[in-house]
Amino acid sequence: MLLLKNLPIYSPAKIGAIDILICGQKICKLSKEITLEGVEYDTIRFDPEKHFAVPGFIDGHVHLIGGGGEGGYITRTREGTPEEFLNCGTTAVLGLLGTDGITRDHTSLLAKVRAFREKHISAWMLTGSYRYPIKTITDDHMKDMVLIPEILGVGELAIADHRGSSVTASELKRLALDIRVAGMISGKKGVIVCHMGNATEGMTALFKATDDGTLPASHLIPTHVSRNEKLLEEGIRWIKEKHGFIDLTASEKTVKVLDELKRELGNLDNVCVSTDGLGSLPVFDKQGNLKELKASPVDGLLKTFKGLLEQGFNIEEALKPICTVPAKALGLNKWGYGSLSENSPASLAIFNTETLEIEVVISLGEIVVNNL
């Protein structure tokens, strides 16, 4: 048991300085004053003028076992470690495969997800990769969803990209309906993360797949939506017309894009940000030849959070794209992720109010970072 005393929290709504009692992996009580008698527990006392706590960040797009490979074997990116995410306040991750679903496979990804869990970081994965028909663990994507607890859906499935399989709207719709039903059976939401490329067809397949109303748009999450202006415009239309979610890949322009989206949409209630962490950042010439490749950093959510606060966003609004909305988009809010409340996972980041530096990270009830 761990008692945090006199700590201002954002749940994500602003709450004054309170006590938080953590029992195992859960928050078991939030109250103005908590006293315990007859039990052993640890206590950390905070200065409410110097600290505040937020729910741990949720990174919905991570290449946990590395990515890349578009320029040959030497361009494969490295695997990730739980510590590098936790140091950035990220306490939940969703792992996936991208271009290379051949030399990297789902059993290795599943093992990595379980290794992350053993290090007290919440972790899930997607089955499939860029290619269609998709590769799976059980040879059936619905079985993967139903029988493997860590699998939340399919992705990242390449749409409008020269590295994809030219997935049609009908193929996308059939796959998404399967995942939706598998989600019903397994108690999950069921999503397809759609990697959006630069090809001119853009999000056409997503709009067509949902046009007759059979498939709710919330099951399709287009990612990398801010890679060009046309795609971002389609993403805005996806939210306005379909009430779906979009995902932006964290970069130096993300804060500016989020500011523009808030002005256009009125809020960020359907906008996620993820890092594409440890995936490849390739640059191709007009003929499709690889010119340059780097690995994506994993600290993009932290940089986005700080950048939004510096831009004048309040903390609750700044938490939406990196915590609150990803939890809803992926269906993790069902299990209490994206908030700090009684019975929610005890995963939170505690910041210094003046410097905005992380001083403590608690993930699933364990103190994993302590810079006090």
Side-chain angles (χ1 to χ4, degrees):
M1 298 176 70
L2 175 63
L3 181 61
L4 308 179
K5 296 286 291 183
N6 213 20
L7 179 62
I9 71 169
Y10 292 79
S11 67
K14 182 179 181 180
I15 297 178
I18 61 172
D19 293 354
I20 305 173
L21 180 61
I22 296 172
C23 307
Q25 297 186 351
K26 297 281 188 178
I27 294 175
C28 57
K29 189 173 183 180
L30 298 171
S31 182
K32 189 67 178 176
E33 182 70 31
I34 297 176
T35 56
L36 300 173
E37 296 181 2
V39 294
E40 291 186 3
Y41 62 95
D42 295 319
T43 302
I44 304 178
R45 299 181 182 275
F46 293 92
D47 183 340
E49 298 298 321
K50 295 182 179 180
H51 299 100
F52 68 90
V54 300
F57 304 152
I58 300 172
D59 197 339
H61 188 131
V62 178
H63 294 272
L64 295 179
I65 58 173
E70 291 98 332
Y73 303 117
I74 197 68
T75 61
R76 288 160 53 92
T77 61
R78 66 174 177 85
E79 294 194 4
T81 67
E83 292 78 13
E84 61 188 319
F85 290 93
L86 294 168
N87 286 333
C88 300
T90 299
T91 58
V93 295
L94 179 66
L96 40 69
L97 300 182
T99 308
D100 184 4
I102 299 171
T103 69
R104 303 183 192 275
D105 61 34
H106 297 96
T107 53
S108 296
L109 179 56
L110 179 58
K112 191 71 170 181
V113 165
R114 290 178 176 175
F116 266 52
R117 290 185 170 204
E118 289 180 7
K119 286 291 189 177
H120 307 290
I121 182 169
S122 299
W124 299 268
M125 63 177 281
L126 300 176
T127 192
S129 61
Y130 273 21
R131 306 296 299 172
Y132 183 87
I134 66 172
K135 291 177 64 176
T136 63
I137 294 177
T138 65
D139 294 326
D140 183 285
H141 51 279
M142 294 185 74
K143 283 185 178 179
D144 275 17
M145 272 281 294
V146 173
L147 300 179
I148 302 174
E150 294 89 348
I151 293 181
L152 299 182
V154 167
E156 53 177 316
L157 182 65
I159 308 289
D161 193 285
H162 65 94
R163 294 161 290 174
S165 304
S166 297
V167 179
T168 67
S170 60
E171 290 170 334
L172 179 61
K173 180 178 180 179
R174 187 179 304 115
L175 180 61
L177 288 172
D178 282 351
I179 291 301
R180 172 178 163 82
V181 172
M184 292 176 177
I185 296 170
S186 59
K188 307 168 189 174
K189 178 181 176 182
V191 297
I192 298 181
V193 173
C194 299
H195 163 102
M196 301 308 306
N198 274 318
T200 55
E201 61 263 36
M203 289 177 58
T204 300
L206 281 73
F207 280 98
K208 286 184 176 180
T210 55
D211 271 349
D212 69 359
T214 305
L215 173 66
S218 61
H219 291 283
L220 301 175
I221 304 175
T223 189
H224 313 314
V225 171
S226 57
R227 71 161 66 243
N228 62 56
E229 288 297 326
K230 178 179 179 296
L231 202 51
L232 187 59
E233 290 174 4
E234 288 186 305
I236 292 171
R237 188 158 67 90
W238 182 251
I239 293 174
K240 288 183 175 181
E241 296 179 10
K242 301 289 187 175
H243 309 293
F245 297 97
I246 64 172
D247 182 51
L248 314 180
T249 304
S251 70
E252 66 279 354
K253 68 176 183 178
T254 301
V255 170
K256 180 176 182 293
V257 173
L258 288 171
D259 191 38
E260 293 171 352
L261 285 173
K262 185 180 178 183
R263 296 175 191 275
E264 174 71 25
L265 298 168
N267 57 60
L268 297 176
D269 292 351
N270 293 68
V271 181
C272 307
V273 173
S274 61
T275 64
D276 199 12
L278 305 162
S280 63
L281 293 174
V283 177
F284 297 96
D285 62 23
K286 292 181 179 180
Q287 287 73 44
N289 299 310
L290 182 71
K291 295 171 56 181
E292 180 186 359
L293 185 144
K294 299 185 295 184
S296 300
V298 304
D299 60 354
L301 302 189
L302 178 59
K303 287 182 175 178
T304 298
F305 181 63
K306 290 182 178 182
L308 289 173
L309 296 182
E310 291 168 359
Q311 186 72 15
F313 281 61
N314 62 46
I315 292 175
E316 182 177 353
E317 193 75 9
L319 284 172
K320 286 183 178 180
I322 60 172
C323 182
T324 318
V325 181
K328 293 178 182 177
L330 298 171
L332 302 178
N333 58 328
K334 175 180 180 179
W335 302 309
Y337 287 90
S339 67
L340 294 178
S341 56
E342 292 183 359
N343 296 316
S344 71
S347 296
L348 58 152
I350 300 169
F351 284 81
N352 182 293
T353 305
E354 295 180 356
T355 65
L356 291 183
E357 294 300 316
I358 292 176
E359 297 203 349
V360 178
V361 176
I362 297 170
S363 188
L364 296 178
E366 293 286 329
I367 301 173
V368 290
V369 176
N370 190 349
N371 297 320
L372 286 174

